Amino acid sequence: MEAQTQSHKLTLSSVVSALFGITLIILGIACLVVGLKDDSSVAELPALPAPALAEGLRGEQFGIDANIDETTIDNYLDRGDSVYRDMRMLKDPGNYEAIGGDSYLSGFVEGFEVVPYPYLVNVSGLPDAVGSTYTGPTLFTEKNSKYTANYVESMQILEDLFPKDKKIFLMCGGGGYAGMTKNMLISLGWNAENIYNVGGYWFYEGAHDVPVKVENNGKTNYHFWKVPYHSIDFNTLTKL
Amino acid sequence: MKRLSRFIIPILVLIVGIVGFCFLFFVSTQRFRLSPEFIGAAGQPGEITHSSIAEIEDLAAEEKSFLVFVSQPDCVTADVFRAVITEFLGDHHLKILEINFSDIRGHTLAPGLKFYPSFLIFRSGELTGFLRADSNTDVEAYSSRDAFEKWLAGYVYF
């Protein structure tokens, strides 16, 4: 009787051990599969064409890319090896009512995060009719194409917003702020081969448009809560 | 006689073809004057006035000849070109309309207009020429006052 009980105990512990072992094996296989799958998804990322300038004014003056632009950016969205930045302000303080139109950000391409260029560096060269643009504090000051940090943290913030080990896709309204950002980053040591000026939101007709300006019953509303926005609190920074 | 007609008919056809081609070429490239309301007072600088798509539709319907600067607020891409136009207007008393790209893109009045900044030339209500921001041949006209004047003078007397 005792031997039978012993035998039952043995059998039960064997079954438990076997189940435990099988569970471990299944878990191991699952981890292996997931790991392999992750590896293959990295490998599946389509290769990026090297940055090249578009034809005409778009390439020559604004540095918009020939291959990755408003018409092709949809093919390059949501890449783990890249960051996507829209360089416009939510509201530009320029007096755009003087020349018609509104000065609010009216939409953006899904995946892009807004980092206003006027907060990075002083903007110059705007027409008189627009009046002064943003004149508040900036991370850097540009003079004769040389960029000087205004705060101890300026470079660290820039490196956080535009990681040097990632591909960087830039957009704005028409390609101007994006081109200026590209020039600035290159001047401050970023690799030009990693930076693409994709161009302007106004020329985008793809499938990932996120409208912010919404007309409803003759009323205009701005859905700013949709916008992934990087704020810079200059009050917390240490002036140089 | 039969031999003569073998030569005369092809020569006549050739002459008619050449004359027709020359006529069409002349008509299509003929320079024109802007409608009077778009020519300012002599000695005064020209000006850029903001317009609307409704106004431009009306002008086109009335078969007016006028110029339109296509820009977009909240964007620096148009500003360099705006400076070129403003410099040009210092010497020419023309009235140029300005419209937001977002208002005119895709409109039947400006087929083929894909990018701003741009500059549209309307002759008798029809778009006869415009600057392309994606064309190497137009880069100079965007960048210098003289090149812009030369380009515009290809269409308009001023």
Side-chain angles (χ1 to χ4, degrees):
Chain A
M1 185 68 186
E2 198 177 310
Q4 206 176 3
T5 312
Q6 188 80 16
S7 157
H8 273 147
K9 269 186 187 168
L10 248 174
T11 313
L12 192 67
S13 66
S14 303
V15 168
V16 169
S17 301
L19 279 175
F20 184 68
I22 288 167
T23 309
L24 279 179
I25 290 167
I26 290 170
L27 272 173
I29 291 170
C31 287
L32 198 66
V33 167
V34 169
L36 283 174
K37 200 181 169 193
D38 275 352
D39 278 352
S40 64
S41 68
V42 168
E44 277 169 15
L45 279 176
L48 293 170
L53 290 183
E55 289 203 357
L57 189 76
R58 280 167 52 81
E60 183 146 318
Q61 209 165 80
F62 308 124
I64 295 170
D65 199 75
N67 303 307
I68 305 180
D69 63 9
E70 306 89 346
T71 61
T72 59
I73 183 62
D74 277 10
N75 301 326
Y76 303 98
L77 292 174
D78 200 23
R79 293 175 63 104
D81 64 348
S82 306
V83 294
Y84 303 84
R85 302 289 181 251
D86 188 316
M87 305 311 301
R88 289 173 292 167
M89 301 184 82
L90 288 186
K91 183 189 188 313
D92 197 297
N95 179 21
Y96 288 104
E97 284 72 21
I99 55 171
D102 66 66
S103 51
Y104 293 95
L105 187 140
S106 56
F108 63 98
V109 176
E110 190 182 347
F112 277 76
E113 298 172 9
V114 174
V115 180
Y117 175 77
Y119 292 167
L120 301 185
V121 67
N122 52 305
V123 180
S124 54
L126 291 176
D128 292 341
V130 173
S132 58
T133 182
Y134 171 78
T135 53
T138 55
L139 291 180
F140 292 83
T141 297
E142 182 264 337
K143 200 174 181 186
N144 301 324
S145 302
K146 288 198 80 173
Y147 298 86
T148 313
N150 296 326
Y151 297 90
V152 172
E153 301 88 350
S154 292
M155 189 55 91
Q156 186 57 55
I157 294 171
L158 203 64
E159 287 182 355
D160 288 345
L161 292 171
F162 304 93
K164 282 183 169 169
D165 60 341
K166 300 254 183 183
K167 300 288 183 185
I168 299 167
F169 292 95
L170 303 170
M171 277 190 100
C172 59
Y177 277 169
M180 290 175 184
T181 308
K182 182 175 178 178
N183 291 341
M184 178 186 177
L185 293 176
I186 293 168
S187 178
L188 289 169
W190 269 252
N191 182 358
E193 294 298 304
N194 287 341
I195 308 172
Y196 296 83
N197 179 354
V198 176
Y201 168 74
W202 286 111
F203 313 129
Y204 177 74
E205 292 178 351
H208 296 271
D209 182 19
V210 182
V212 173
K213 183 179 182 178
V214 178
E215 308 271 357
N216 202 357
N217 294 330
K219 228 180 139 186
T220 302
N221 289 304
Y222 289 87
H223 295 177
F224 286 130
W225 65 84
K226 293 177 185 171
V227 183
Y229 183 76
H230 288 272
S231 171
I232 299 171
D233 185 357
F234 290 97
N235 293 322
T236 62
L237 306 183
T238 314
K239 221 166 174 17
L240 278 170
Chain B
M1 185 63 189
K2 194 178 173 186
R3 193 175 170 190
L4 195 66
S5 67
R6 275 177 63 191
F7 286 102
I8 287 174
I9 291 171
I11 287 169
L12 278 175
V13 169
L14 196 65
I15 289 170
V16 169
I18 290 169
V19 168
F21 175 80
C22 289
F23 176 75
L24 287 174
F25 182 78
F26 175 73
V27 166
S28 66
T29 59
Q30 196 181 15
R31 293 167 72 199
F32 62 96
R33 293 193 187 281
L34 296 177
S35 298
E37 58 267 48
F38 297 104
I39 299 170
Q44 296 291 312
E47 60 180 348
I48 301 173
T49 313
H50 203 82
S51 183
S52 64
I53 194 66
E55 183 184 11
I56 290 172
E57 281 172 344
D58 288 347
L59 292 169
E62 293 164 20
E63 299 187 354
K64 301 284 185 185
S65 297
F66 55 99
L67 308 171
V68 181
F69 167 41
V70 182
S71 67
Q72 186 67 29
D74 193 17
C75 193
V76 293
T77 50
D79 297 333
V80 179
F81 184 41
R82 185 193 301 277
V84 170
I85 299 171
T86 305
E87 194 183 345
F88 165 81
L89 288 176
D91 301 325
H92 300 282
H93 48 277
L94 304 179
K95 289 182 179 174
I96 294 172
L97 301 176
E98 178 176 0
I99 190 156
N100 297 336
F101 175 77
S102 52
D103 292 335
I104 199 167
R105 75 169 169 179
H107 198 285
T108 50
L109 279 173
L113 178 70
K114 283 169 64 186
F115 302 107
Y116 72 86
S118 184
F119 198 90
L120 316 178
I121 300 171
F122 284 89
R123 180 189 182 185
S124 304
E126 295 285 333
L127 182 69
T128 58
F130 68 98
L131 285 176
R132 294 171 190 270
D134 58 342
S135 163
N136 284 341
T137 54
D138 289 347
V139 170
E140 276 298 304
Y142 274 113
S143 314
S144 100
R145 176 219 174 280
D146 292 343
F148 174 72
E149 183 178 87
K150 191 178 168 190
W151 171 78
L152 191 57
Y155 296 90
V156 179
Y157 289 112
F158 44 78

